Amino acid sequence: MEQPRRITDSFPRRRRGPGRPPGRLKDRKDKNKDKDKAQLKVRECPRTPSQPPPDPALMEMLRRFDLSWEYGPCSGITRLQRWERAQELGLSPPGPIRDALLEHRDNPDVTYRWDGVGW
C-alpha cells in the first residue's frame, strides 16, 4: 500500500552546511548592518506635524453619519465621497457633515472612517 503524499514532498530538500545550526540564515554581523540601515532610513524621513485631536462632538456627528445605512456603504471611500454620492442619489445627507469635512479636509481622523474597536 502506498503512503499518502504530503505537500512537502513536492519541494526539494536542502541540506545544511557544516557548522551552521538549523534555522540561522545570516550571520549576526549582517543583522547589525540591516539594523543600522533601518535606523538611518527612519532618521532621514521627515516627520509630519501632529494635528490636534478633533472635537469629540464633531467625531460623534461623523460616527453617526458612518453608522447610518440610508446614505449607502462607506467602505473604500472617504466620508466626503460618500456624502457626495448620497447627494447625487437624492438621499439628502446632512449639510453640517459636508461643512465639517471640508473644514477639516487635511485631517485623516476626520476624512476617513475609523473601523477600530470601541465605536
Side-chain angles (χ1 to χ4, degrees):
M1 197 173 220
E2 191 175 319
Q3 291 184 353
R5 289 182 46 112
R6 296 184 183 147
I7 193 166
T8 55
D9 293 340
S10 59
F11 296 103
R13 292 186 181 184
R14 294 187 171 186
R15 297 179 187 246
R16 294 189 184 106
R20 180 176 282 195
R24 291 188 88 184
L25 299 177
K26 292 183 176 180
D27 292 337
R28 289 184 183 213
K29 293 177 187 176
D30 293 338
K31 221 180 232 186
N32 290 336
K33 287 180 185 176
D34 291 341
K35 284 183 184 178
D36 292 340
K37 287 180 183 177
Q39 288 176 353
L40 287 175
K41 288 180 183 176
V42 170
R43 289 181 188 151
E44 291 172 3
C45 294
R47 294 198 180 256
T48 57
S50 60
Q51 297 179 354
D55 182 32
L58 169 66
M59 295 308 292
E60 177 64 23
M61 181 175 66
L62 293 174
R63 185 184 72 84
R64 290 181 186 272
F65 177 67
D66 291 339
L67 295 177
S68 61
W69 285 100
E70 62 188 291
Y71 306 117
C74 56
S75 59
I77 59 174
T78 64
R79 286 175 169 148
L80 186 58
Q81 289 171 335
R82 181 174 182 238
W83 190 96
E84 290 171 347
R85 181 189 60 200
Q87 181 69 23
E88 289 174 6
L89 295 173
L91 301 176
S92 302
I97 296 288
R98 182 178 184 271
D99 297 338
L101 292 173
L102 291 174
E103 182 181 340
H104 300 280
R105 178 175 279 183
D106 56 343
N107 189 342
D109 292 336
V110 175
T111 304
Y112 300 100
R113 178 176 180 217
W114 182 67
D115 289 331
V117 177
W119 274 37

